[in-house]
Amino acid sequence: MKITMIGSGYVGLVSGVCLAEYGHDIVCMDKDVAKIEGLRAGKMPIFEPGLEEMVRDNVKAGRLTFSTDMADCVPDSEVVFIGVGTPTNKETGHADLKYVYAVAEEIARHVKDFTVVVTKSTVPVGTGDEVERIIARTNPKADVAVVSNPEFLREGAAIKDFMIPNRIVVGLEDQRARPVMTEVYRPLFINQAPLMITTRRTSELIKYAANAFLAMKITYINEMADLCEAVGANVQEVARGIGLDNRIGTKFLHAGPGYGGSCFPKDTLALVKTAQDYDAPTQLVEATVAVNEARKAKMATKVIKAAGGSVAGKTITVLGLTFKPETDDMRDSPAIVIIEELVKAGATIRGYDPEGMENARAVLPPITYCDGPYQAAEGADAVVIVTEWNEFRALDLKRIKVAVKTPLLVDLRNIYRRDEVARHGFRYICVGRPGEEITA
């Protein structure tokens, strides 16, 4: 099939290259000339394991091309995906849909024959209705079917999630789109991936409901971690004990500094705003948003308390800046708030992240960026693990001990055993486990 993917960011690029891998003829289109020129030269705009190789292979095979002009690709496409950003409107908290609507208007000017227009971007309920109205208003002769097809990609595992999905959700009102979308995803559901066909508004809500539920699980276990610290229980064992109940499950029950990234923060807030607009408030989600925001600052307070109640004039090493491992995404990373609060309290920050330092420079206050964890630890009064990159799971603690000024390790991801760290002479502070402050 001839398919255009409008938006060559995280969602559009990953989705486009994966569809090309399955044999479709894909054009990834973006208005950002530098991004498209970079992709043509083999430079990826994002870090995602396996993406660069897959792009290279599909370009070489002739199944994947790049463009900056809709006129070059939309008229000949059977399906046009909209995969542009829907950031949070900072003034209202709603999802900002200006890019989606602008794309819809431009698509209307270029469609030729019957075309299925698919919103792949995460959009609030009713967005598909508005996209349909915009296209009809812009070009009354346009013969289109507007479909909702939300993505469920985890950064760091996006290619696997697309190629081996646990479900494919398609929301439509025009039944002519059903066989077209079935053909788009035929290679996937042949491999037993459930294809769920529903209404457009239901499909739009499924994505928000899923992300909000997962965000609530993370926030719940973080609150349980605080309770564990207060009563002397172990949050990891509590999580295992409840997770073995298959009605609950083990995923998203890892206590830490709160959720971040491109999806959970903006999607939970957008769901709250949509629910308020329809006078059906989602109080659990509202609480989740509030608790998660407070969580990040609370972790900075935890570091300050561990450092003796003040970090003024002290050097703090922060290992891990991105919101999760295997990505360079800094959006709403807990590290941002933690570092901002530590800097406000007078600390000097030395930071390191395997992939995120270039993006970190744009959103963090001035800190010293280091070439590795051991350089970052030099002269530190505390070492804080914020993101659980594999590189940090097996640090040479003897080498860290030599580098630091004060042997204090604050592990906000619980990736170490207390006895192991204490054996190397460190005070060890973790999250939701008893006997935190163990000294050798």
Side-chain angles (χ1 to χ4, degrees):
M1 301 181 74
K2 291 186 178 297
I3 297 172
T4 292
M5 187 71 64
I6 300 175
S8 296
Y10 190 85
V11 172
L13 183 58
V14 171
S15 300
V17 72
C18 288
L19 288 172
E21 183 76 7
Y22 275 119
H24 294 303
D25 183 0
I26 306 295
V27 179
C28 283
M29 182 268 163
D30 202 289
K31 292 287 189 180
D32 187 332
V33 174
K35 181 186 291 184
I36 293 300
E37 289 179 350
L39 283 165
R40 286 170 175 164
K43 181 181 179 182
M44 299 300 105
I46 58 171
F47 173 77
E48 179 65 32
L51 181 64
E52 184 175 350
E53 296 82 358
M54 190 176 286
V55 168
R56 183 188 61 232
D57 292 347
N58 281 279
V59 167
K60 185 177 180 180
R63 295 187 297 264
L64 179 65
T65 56
F66 304 101
S67 175
T68 58
D69 190 352
M70 284 196 200
D72 290 341
C73 44
V74 169
D76 296 326
S77 294
E78 300 162 75
V79 184
V80 178
F81 283 88
I82 301 174
V84 296
T86 55
T88 299
N89 183 310
K90 298 299 183 183
E91 294 182 2
T92 68
H94 288 80
D96 189 342
L97 300 175
K98 63 184 177 186
Y99 303 114
V100 172
Y101 293 155
V103 166
E105 190 172 322
E106 194 167 353
I107 288 172
R109 297 193 185 102
H110 294 292
V111 288
K112 189 168 57 176
D113 301 319
F114 173 65
T115 306
V116 176
V117 177
V118 185
T119 53
K120 196 70 173 169
S121 304
T122 300
V123 295
V125 172
T127 301
D129 299 352
E130 183 61 21
V131 167
E132 194 169 65
R133 283 192 289 267
I134 289 170
I135 293 174
R137 183 176 67 242
T138 306
N139 180 6
K141 294 182 179 180
D143 187 12
V144 302
V146 177
V147 170
S148 167
N149 174 219
E151 53 85 15
F152 299 97
L153 307 179
R154 297 168 298 162
E155 293 191 37
I159 291 173
K160 179 182 178 182
D161 286 347
F162 193 99
M163 305 291 273
I164 313 174
N166 50 30
R167 81 282 206 196
I168 302 162
V169 177
V170 174
L172 50 85
E173 303 301 324
D174 187 332
Q175 290 301 316
R176 294 180 299 166
R178 181 186 288 260
V180 177
M181 295 304 294
T182 299
E183 183 62 20
V184 169
Y185 286 113
R186 182 174 54 84
L188 297 180
F189 69 77
I190 280 177
N191 293 331
Q192 306 301 312
L195 177 62
M196 178 181 175
I197 305 289
T198 184
T199 65
R200 195 163 57 204
R201 285 187 166 224
T202 300
S203 173
E204 290 167 341
L205 187 54
I206 284 171
K207 173 59 186 280
Y208 279 111
N211 278 356
F213 188 83
L214 296 174
M216 283 193 290
K217 285 188 75 174
I218 293 170
T219 304
Y220 175 79
I221 202 62
N222 283 339
E223 290 201 315
M224 288 299 102
D226 290 346
L227 182 58
C228 284
E229 289 182 12
V231 303
N234 186 321
V235 71
Q236 288 180 313
E237 293 180 5
V238 169
R240 183 168 184 267
I242 65 176
L244 289 172
D245 184 332
N246 58 19
R247 295 171 300 175
I248 298 173
T250 59
K251 300 294 181 66
F252 291 84
L253 289 178
H254 302 287
Y259 61 76
S262 63
C263 292
F264 287 2
K266 74 177 182 67
D267 292 354
T268 48
L269 190 55
L271 180 59
V272 165
K273 294 300 181 180
T274 298
Q276 290 172 348
D277 290 345
Y278 284 86
D279 196 24
T282 51
Q283 292 175 310
L284 285 175
V285 185
E286 290 177 18
T288 296
V289 172
V291 171
N292 187 68
E293 283 306 299
R295 181 75 180 174
K296 300 170 186 179
K298 192 171 186 177
M299 293 299 99
T301 301
K302 189 179 188 74
V303 173
I304 293 170
K305 181 180 178 182
S310 174
V311 292
K314 294 183 179 180
T315 298
I316 307 297
T317 295
V318 175
L319 299 182
L321 305 175
T322 55
F323 85 96
K324 64 179 286 189
E326 301 301 330
T327 180
D328 60 354
D329 198 339
M330 286 294 301
R331 284 175 286 185
D332 283 294
S333 171
I336 297 172
V337 174
I338 292 170
I339 289 173
E340 286 175 345
E341 292 299 313
L342 292 175
V343 169
K344 286 179 187 176
T348 298
I349 307 296
R350 295 172 63 83
Y352 169 71
D353 189 279
E355 293 292 340
M357 292 196 289
E358 182 177 346
N359 289 339
R361 286 182 170 89
V363 294
L364 288 177
I367 70 172
T368 300
Y369 293 94
C370 302
D371 292 333
Y374 305 105
Q375 184 189 74
E378 290 177 6
D381 294 283
V383 175
V384 183
I385 298 174
V386 178
T387 312
E388 68 277 30
W389 286 89
N390 285 337
E391 184 175 344
F392 305 146
R393 292 180 180 275
L395 293 170
D396 184 339
L397 294 178
K398 288 183 179 179
R399 187 174 172 186
I400 294 283
K401 177 73 180 302
V402 171
V404 299
K405 179 180 178 182
T406 305
L408 168 62
L409 178 61
V410 182
D411 180 4
L412 299 182
R413 295 291 183 173
N414 289 348
I415 61 178
Y416 280 93
R417 297 193 312 271
R418 300 190 316 273
D419 56 349
E420 176 188 7
V421 178
R423 182 166 53 85
H424 287 88
F426 284 84
R427 281 183 58 233
Y428 180 63
I429 307 296
C430 56
V431 177
R433 294 189 292 180
E436 286 182 316
E437 298 189 17
I438 292 180
T439 306

PDB file of all heavy atoms in Angstrom, residues 47-58:
ATOM      1  N   PHE A  47      16.657   8.993  19.709  1.00  0.00           N
ATOM      2  CA  PHE A  47      17.349   7.743  20.008  1.00  0.00           C
ATOM      3  C   PHE A  47      16.318   6.681  20.340  1.00  0.00           C
ATOM      4  O   PHE A  47      15.492   6.852  21.234  1.00  0.00           O
ATOM      5  CB  PHE A  47      18.301   7.909  21.193  1.00  0.00           C
ATOM      6  CG  PHE A  47      18.913   6.595  21.631  1.00  0.00           C
ATOM      7  CD1 PHE A  47      19.950   6.030  20.894  1.00  0.00           C
ATOM      8  CD2 PHE A  47      18.439   5.925  22.747  1.00  0.00           C
ATOM      9  CE1 PHE A  47      20.503   4.815  21.278  1.00  0.00           C
ATOM     10  CE2 PHE A  47      18.987   4.707  23.135  1.00  0.00           C
ATOM     11  CZ  PHE A  47      20.017   4.158  22.396  1.00  0.00           C
ATOM     12  N   GLU A  48      16.348   5.599  19.597  1.00  0.00           N
ATOM     13  CA  GLU A  48      15.491   4.447  19.853  1.00  0.00           C
ATOM     14  C   GLU A  48      16.259   3.211  19.398  1.00  0.00           C
ATOM     15  O   GLU A  48      16.684   3.133  18.235  1.00  0.00           O
ATOM     16  CB  GLU A  48      14.175   4.566  19.093  1.00  0.00           C
ATOM     17  CG  GLU A  48      13.214   3.399  19.278  1.00  0.00           C
ATOM     18  CD  GLU A  48      12.695   3.271  20.703  1.00  0.00           C
ATOM     19  OE1 GLU A  48      12.553   4.305  21.384  1.00  0.00           O
ATOM     20  OE2 GLU A  48      12.426   2.133  21.143  1.00  0.00           O
ATOM     21  N   PRO A  49      16.487   2.255  20.295  1.00  0.00           N
ATOM     22  CA  PRO A  49      17.286   1.080  19.930  1.00  0.00           C
ATOM     23  C   PRO A  49      16.771   0.390  18.673  1.00  0.00           C
ATOM     24  O   PRO A  49      15.581   0.080  18.561  1.00  0.00           O
ATOM     25  CB  PRO A  49      17.151   0.174  21.163  1.00  0.00           C
ATOM     26  CG  PRO A  49      16.909   1.117  22.294  1.00  0.00           C
ATOM     27  CD  PRO A  49      16.071   2.222  21.715  1.00  0.00           C
ATOM     28  N   GLY A  50      17.655   0.163  17.704  1.00  0.00           N
ATOM     29  CA  GLY A  50      17.324  -0.552  16.476  1.00  0.00           C
ATOM     30  C   GLY A  50      16.755   0.310  15.370  1.00  0.00           C
ATOM     31  O   GLY A  50      16.626  -0.147  14.227  1.00  0.00           O
ATOM     32  N   LEU A  51      16.425   1.561  15.667  1.00  0.00           N
ATOM     33  CA  LEU A  51      15.750   2.410  14.679  1.00  0.00           C
ATOM     34  C   LEU A  51      16.662   2.766  13.515  1.00  0.00           C
ATOM     35  O   LEU A  51      16.258   2.690  12.347  1.00  0.00           O
ATOM     36  CB  LEU A  51      15.227   3.678  15.349  1.00  0.00           C
ATOM     37  CG  LEU A  51      14.476   4.656  14.439  1.00  0.00           C
ATOM     38  CD1 LEU A  51      13.206   4.024  13.891  1.00  0.00           C
ATOM     39  CD2 LEU A  51      14.145   5.941  15.201  1.00  0.00           C
ATOM     40  N   GLU A  52      17.878   3.169  13.797  1.00  0.00           N
ATOM     41  CA  GLU A  52      18.789   3.613  12.742  1.00  0.00           C
ATOM     42  C   GLU A  52      19.014   2.514  11.710  1.00  0.00           C
ATOM     43  O   GLU A  52      18.964   2.760  10.498  1.00  0.00           O
ATOM     44  CB  GLU A  52      20.118   4.054  13.352  1.00  0.00           C
ATOM     45  CG  GLU A  52      21.086   4.631  12.331  1.00  0.00           C
ATOM     46  CD  GLU A  52      22.345   5.183  12.976  1.00  0.00           C
ATOM     47  OE1 GLU A  52      22.389   5.299  14.218  1.00  0.00           O
ATOM     48  OE2 GLU A  52      23.302   5.507  12.229  1.00  0.00           O
ATOM     49  N   GLU A  53      19.228   1.303  12.175  1.00  0.00           N
ATOM     50  CA  GLU A  53      19.473   0.185  11.261  1.00  0.00           C
ATOM     51  C   GLU A  53      18.234  -0.124  10.416  1.00  0.00           C
ATOM     52  O   GLU A  53      18.334  -0.387   9.211  1.00  0.00           O
ATOM     53  CB  GLU A  53      19.878  -1.066  12.053  1.00  0.00           C
ATOM     54  CG  GLU A  53      21.189  -0.941  12.803  1.00  0.00           C
ATOM     55  CD  GLU A  53      21.067  -0.218  14.147  1.00  0.00           C
ATOM     56  OE1 GLU A  53      19.934   0.224  14.493  1.00  0.00           O
ATOM     57  OE2 GLU A  53      22.086  -0.066  14.834  1.00  0.00           O
ATOM     58  N   MET A  54      17.060  -0.060  11.039  1.00  0.00           N
ATOM     59  CA  MET A  54      15.842  -0.369  10.310  1.00  0.00           C
ATOM     60  C   MET A  54      15.539   0.697   9.259  1.00  0.00           C
ATOM     61  O   MET A  54      15.094   0.385   8.145  1.00  0.00           O
ATOM     62  CB  MET A  54      14.662  -0.521  11.276  1.00  0.00           C
ATOM     63  CG  MET A  54      13.410  -1.074  10.621  1.00  0.00           C
ATOM     64  SD  MET A  54      12.049  -1.356  11.781  1.00  0.00           S
ATOM     65  CE  MET A  54      12.638  -2.818  12.630  1.00  0.00           C
ATOM     66  N   VAL A  55      15.779   1.957   9.594  1.00  0.00           N
ATOM     67  CA  VAL A  55      15.599   3.029   8.614  1.00  0.00           C
ATOM     68  C   VAL A  55      16.536   2.824   7.437  1.00  0.00           C
ATOM     69  O   VAL A  55      16.130   2.895   6.265  1.00  0.00           O
ATOM     70  CB  VAL A  55      15.837   4.414   9.266  1.00  0.00           C
ATOM     71  CG1 VAL A  55      15.937   5.506   8.192  1.00  0.00           C
ATOM     72  CG2 VAL A  55      14.713   4.748  10.242  1.00  0.00           C
ATOM     73  N   ARG A  56      17.789   2.565   7.733  1.00  0.00           N
ATOM     74  CA  ARG A  56      18.784   2.367   6.677  1.00  0.00           C
ATOM     75  C   ARG A  56      18.384   1.227   5.755  1.00  0.00           C
ATOM     76  O   ARG A  56      18.436   1.351   4.521  1.00  0.00           O
ATOM     77  CB  ARG A  56      20.149   2.077   7.312  1.00  0.00           C
ATOM     78  CG  ARG A  56      21.283   1.922   6.286  1.00  0.00           C
ATOM     79  CD  ARG A  56      22.556   1.446   6.968  1.00  0.00           C
ATOM     80  NE  ARG A  56      22.371   0.144   7.594  1.00  0.00           N
ATOM     81  CZ  ARG A  56      22.682  -0.115   8.860  1.00  0.00           C
ATOM     82  NH1 ARG A  56      23.167   0.831   9.642  1.00  0.00           N
ATOM     83  NH2 ARG A  56      22.489  -1.319   9.349  1.00  0.00           N
ATOM     84  N   ASP A  57      17.951   0.107   6.315  1.00  0.00           N
ATOM     85  CA  ASP A  57      17.609  -1.059   5.505  1.00  0.00           C
ATOM     86  C   ASP A  57      16.402  -0.802   4.609  1.00  0.00           C
ATOM     87  O   ASP A  57      16.369  -1.231   3.449  1.00  0.00           O
ATOM     88  CB  ASP A  57      17.343  -2.267   6.416  1.00  0.00           C
ATOM     89  CG  ASP A  57      18.594  -2.754   7.130  1.00  0.00           C
ATOM     90  OD1 ASP A  57      19.704  -2.326   6.753  1.00  0.00           O
ATOM     91  OD2 ASP A  57      18.464  -3.540   8.088  1.00  0.00           O
ATOM     92  N   ASN A  58      15.397  -0.097   5.135  1.00  0.00           N
ATOM     93  CA  ASN A  58      14.193   0.132   4.347  1.00  0.00           C
ATOM     94  C   ASN A  58      14.373   1.223   3.307  1.00  0.00           C
ATOM     95  O   ASN A  58      13.745   1.185   2.248  1.00  0.00           O
ATOM     96  CB  ASN A  58      13.011   0.437   5.269  1.00  0.00           C
ATOM     97  CG  ASN A  58      12.435  -0.819   5.892  1.00  0.00           C
ATOM     98  OD1 ASN A  58      11.656  -1.532   5.258  1.00  0.00           O
ATOM     99  ND2 ASN A  58      12.836  -1.114   7.115  1.00  0.00           N
TER     100      ASN A  58
END
